[in-house]
Amino acid sequence: MKFKGLTVEDLLKLPILKNAKLVSGEQGLHRIVRYIDIMEVPDVKGWLREGELILTTGYSIRHDPELLLNLVEQLAQTGAAALGIKPERFMNGIPQAAIDLSNKHHLPIIQIPNGVPYIDITYTVMEQILDKQAALLRRSEEVYKTLTNLVLSNSGIQVVADNVAKLVKCPIWVLGNTGELLVSSPATASYEPSMISRQWDVTVDNQFVGRLVVGKQELDELEFVCIEQARLVFALEFMRRKTAYDTEQRLRGTLFEELLMGLPLTNQEVENKGKQLGLQPEWLWEVCLIEGEAAVPGDTAPLFAQVIELVNRQSAKRKVRAHFQQQANRLLLLLASAPDAPVKKQAHDMEALKDWSDMLRPFFEQDGKIRCGFGGKQPLLEVNRSYKEAKKAIALGSRLDKNRQMFTFEEVEMFHLLLEASDYVNFHPLIDKKIGRLSLYDKENGSDLVTTLYYYLATGGSLIETANRMYVHRNSVKYRIDRIKEIANLDLDNPLNRFVYYLCTAFYLLNKTE
């Protein structure tokens, strides 16, 4: 059954109008009649409504045919349904100019027999309109109950989408707030923006959460009602999902808080809680700790939105889950990896093979306001270890290189062990012996020769890379290296010597800034 409302064509089939005559505007017979009113004043501008049927004897415009043209124009602009005229008493027929204008705008003009009372027309038409609206309302309630019950019974968004597609008799798609496809019906229907489709926003608490796309342009009234009910039901589904997601995030956050604090949990406890929250026991976890002078995310919010979007997308590809947690001015990314994931060799899958640190490095190295550290991969029970390593990575890495924003524990692990060993072994005599003259020269002259030597050795003897890290010219680095050799009498051609000098300069810089 098609719910088109009462059309002008239906109107002319009513017994009360069996002798009425369609004068013009035949192409507008599909217009829907929603209201009916009587006009006996010439000025109707401002109170005409879309879908309105206007009845008139032409009394108020009998002396000025131009007023009839104005009336037709205003009715067309308003989207009125039709104009019904009784011309016998006060008008000598309907002017040809009005007929031509009516045909131009596809606005029907109906000549009503003089003997038919207005009250009979208005009563009959309103009865038909109300009957149509009552039927539409009953069907709307049925649709709403059906779709709502699907949500309340947790049938799934796919079942809801299938029912909506059946009601509107065309494919539909539901997109997320970032444009990602959440569900389609048929399930195999891929989404491509099209000129023949129509779309409606889905909102929850006045916030845009998604978009409903319907694969056709023309819809009847029942289909429009279905769309409105579907938007409401999908909003309920989004709200249900959000509530479930927020609850899961809160519980997951509690578990990670316990793990990061190092509470005494057994492996079985952690495994059971993790499984309940969708965290598989075989996943390995690494902590990315992000901190800065301002509270995270602060004025770098767009950057973090991009990072979180990338992490979520890549986690979905890798069939793992990530977790984000804020601690005062720190942001923690808890990133999972599946160790038994099959290696994919296709070029378009190379991004999925990258380590998390390599994938996120371009984001963090572009922002000088933050620093971040990556811990090593650990089982869920030992995620606290990765958290400590991430903190060490920032603490040690930033002392060695103030111009970098991102550090991994793997890069500083040797220096971490060196500092720990210094609690039991006195390295200071060796440091003084190897680079004591350089450090003394720096103190007396305000120079950076020790730092220059460290960068030079850390970059494998590259003058260009050292110059980039020191923000000086290459020739300046070459001059400094020559001065270093001269002041400290260093032999940098011997690999063993270079290694010893590298450790000594690193240890010196780490202790200097403690």
Side-chain angles (χ1 to χ4, degrees):
M1 180 180 179
K2 289 284 186 179
F3 284 80
K4 294 183 178 179
L6 181 68
T7 66
V8 177
E9 186 175 13
D10 296 331
L11 186 76
L12 292 172
K13 294 177 182 178
L14 296 176
I16 191 68
L17 294 175
K18 65 180 180 179
N19 294 322
K21 175 185 175 183
L22 178 66
V23 177
S24 59
E26 184 177 0
Q27 294 187 38
L29 289 175
H30 64 280
R31 290 178 180 246
I32 305 297
V33 181
R34 294 187 172 87
Y35 313 98
I36 184 169
D37 208 343
I38 299 170
M39 185 208 84
E40 295 302 350
V41 294
D43 185 11
V44 294
K45 187 175 182 180
W47 57 264
L48 293 175
R49 294 171 291 181
E50 182 180 356
E52 193 162 32
L53 168 64
I54 293 296
L55 303 178
T56 182
T57 61
Y59 177 80
S60 61
I61 57 177
R62 66 191 185 282
H63 299 304
D64 188 356
E66 191 70 26
L67 292 175
L68 179 58
L69 299 182
N70 293 339
L71 175 61
V72 172
E73 188 69 42
Q74 291 177 37
L75 289 170
Q77 291 177 4
T78 308
L83 174 62
I85 301 180
K86 291 183 178 183
E88 289 92 343
R89 187 172 178 184
F90 300 109
M91 300 174 62
N92 292 323
I94 300 173
Q96 185 61 43
I99 294 174
D100 293 340
L101 189 59
S102 164
N103 287 327
K104 174 184 175 182
H105 291 303
H106 304 158
L107 177 77
I109 294 180
I110 303 167
Q111 183 172 333
I112 299 173
N114 197 41
V116 180
Y118 281 155
I119 186 63
D120 291 350
I121 299 174
T122 56
Y123 178 83
T124 304
V125 171
M126 287 306 300
E127 184 179 45
Q128 290 294 317
I129 291 174
L130 292 175
D131 284 347
K132 289 271 189 180
Q133 290 178 345
L136 186 61
L137 181 59
R138 287 193 299 271
R139 187 69 179 113
S140 170
E141 290 177 350
E142 292 172 7
V143 170
Y144 174 71
K145 287 180 180 179
T146 300
L147 297 180
T148 305
N149 286 335
L150 292 175
V151 174
L152 296 178
S153 61
N154 200 20
S155 300
I157 195 170
Q158 182 64 58
V159 176
V160 176
D162 290 341
N163 275 266
V164 174
K166 184 178 179 181
L167 288 168
V168 298
K169 301 179 183 64
C170 69
I172 72 161
W173 300 267
V174 179
L175 310 179
N177 57 2
T178 58
E180 74 279 14
L181 179 63
L182 300 180
V183 67
S184 65
S185 183
T188 55
S190 59
Y191 174 69
E192 294 291 339
S194 170
M195 295 295 293
I196 63 171
S197 64
R198 297 185 65 173
Q199 52 186 301
W200 290 263
D201 289 348
V202 179
T203 59
V204 174
D205 292 334
N206 295 321
Q207 291 186 345
F208 172 75
V209 294
R211 186 169 285 113
L212 170 62
V213 182
V214 176
K216 65 180 182 181
Q217 279 284 337
E218 298 296 327
L219 292 91
D220 62 33
E221 284 201 51
L222 176 58
E223 290 168 341
F224 272 115
V225 168
C226 290
I227 293 300
E228 288 305 311
Q229 301 294 5
R231 289 174 63 196
L232 176 59
V233 169
F234 281 126
L236 289 174
E237 176 65 20
F238 278 121
M239 187 179 296
R240 186 190 67 79
R241 285 186 165 200
K242 183 179 185 302
T243 301
Y245 174 80
D246 290 344
T247 302
E248 187 177 275
Q249 284 290 99
R250 179 173 52 81
L251 294 174
R252 198 182 297 162
T254 300
L255 174 61
F256 278 116
E257 280 287 352
E258 294 174 349
L259 292 170
L260 293 174
M261 290 171 62
L263 296 183
L265 302 174
T266 66
N267 188 56
Q268 192 62 47
E269 284 180 304
V270 173
E271 186 173 314
N272 291 340
K273 288 184 179 180
K275 283 183 177 179
Q276 292 173 359
L277 298 172
L279 311 177
Q280 299 305 315
E282 67 271 14
W283 293 351
L284 295 178
W285 294 85
E286 56 190 300
V287 174
C288 171
L289 176 62
I290 307 165
E291 60 181 28
E293 296 178 1
V296 175
D299 52 4
T300 55
L303 170 67
F304 288 105
Q306 295 174 30
V307 169
I308 290 173
E309 193 276 330
L310 173 65
V311 168
N312 284 331
R313 186 175 69 247
Q314 285 299 321
S315 294
K317 284 184 179 180
R318 301 173 186 213
K319 301 187 186 308
V320 296
R321 291 190 177 187
H323 183 75
F324 312 98
Q325 200 147 322
Q326 191 159 347
Q327 296 180 339
N329 67 333
R330 291 175 171 176
L331 181 67
L332 270 66
L333 310 183
L334 293 106
L335 308 169
S337 300
D340 57 350
V343 176
K344 300 176 181 179
K345 297 182 179 180
Q346 294 89 341
H348 63 276
D349 287 322
M350 292 305 295
E351 189 179 40
L353 301 178
K354 287 184 178 180
D355 288 335
W356 284 113
S357 56
D358 292 334
M359 186 177 300
L360 297 176
R361 188 182 299 275
F363 288 92
F364 296 132
E365 290 190 341
Q366 64 178 294
D367 195 314
K369 299 178 182 178
I370 61 172
R371 294 173 299 180
C372 70
F374 278 82
K377 294 181 180 179
Q378 305 293 344
L380 185 58
L381 181 63
E382 299 179 41
V383 74
N384 174 259
R385 182 177 170 185
S386 182
Y387 175 54
K388 291 179 179 178
E389 291 175 349
K391 290 197 289 186
K392 282 289 184 184
I394 294 177
L396 300 181
S398 58
R399 293 178 197 170
L400 294 171
D401 193 339
K402 292 182 173 60
N403 298 318
R404 285 181 59 190
Q405 281 72 50
M406 179 179 148
F407 311 93
T408 66
F409 182 72
E410 186 178 9
E411 295 171 328
V412 303
E413 186 172 10
M414 181 182 68
F415 304 115
H416 170 61
L417 294 174
L418 186 64
L419 286 176
E420 285 195 333
S422 67
D423 292 338
Y424 310 98
V425 179
N426 186 7
F427 287 102
H428 293 286
L430 176 64
I431 305 301
D432 188 59
K433 177 181 177 181
K434 295 296 182 181
I435 59 170
R437 294 180 184 177
L438 286 182
S439 63
L440 181 60
Y441 184 89
D442 281 345
K443 290 176 183 177
E444 293 177 347
N445 297 276
S447 56
D448 287 318
L449 295 185
V450 175
T451 304
T452 303
L453 178 58
Y454 168 75
Y455 282 136
Y456 179 75
L457 295 172
T459 59
S462 171
L463 296 176
I464 295 177
E465 186 62 29
T466 303
N468 290 337
R469 295 198 181 187
M470 297 287 294
Y471 295 102
V472 297
H473 194 272
R474 175 180 179 276
N475 291 337
S476 297
V477 175
K478 186 176 184 307
Y479 170 76
R480 290 184 187 184
I481 295 300
D482 291 338
R483 287 289 293 146
I484 288 169
K485 291 178 180 179
E486 179 184 335
I487 293 170
N489 193 27
L490 301 186
D491 177 13
L492 298 181
D493 296 327
N494 185 303
L496 180 59
N497 286 343
R498 291 164 73 102
F499 175 71
V500 172
Y501 292 139
Y502 176 58
L503 290 182
C504 289
T505 53
F507 187 79
Y508 173 82
L509 292 174
L510 289 172
N511 281 276
K512 177 184 175 183
T513 53
E514 276 190 316

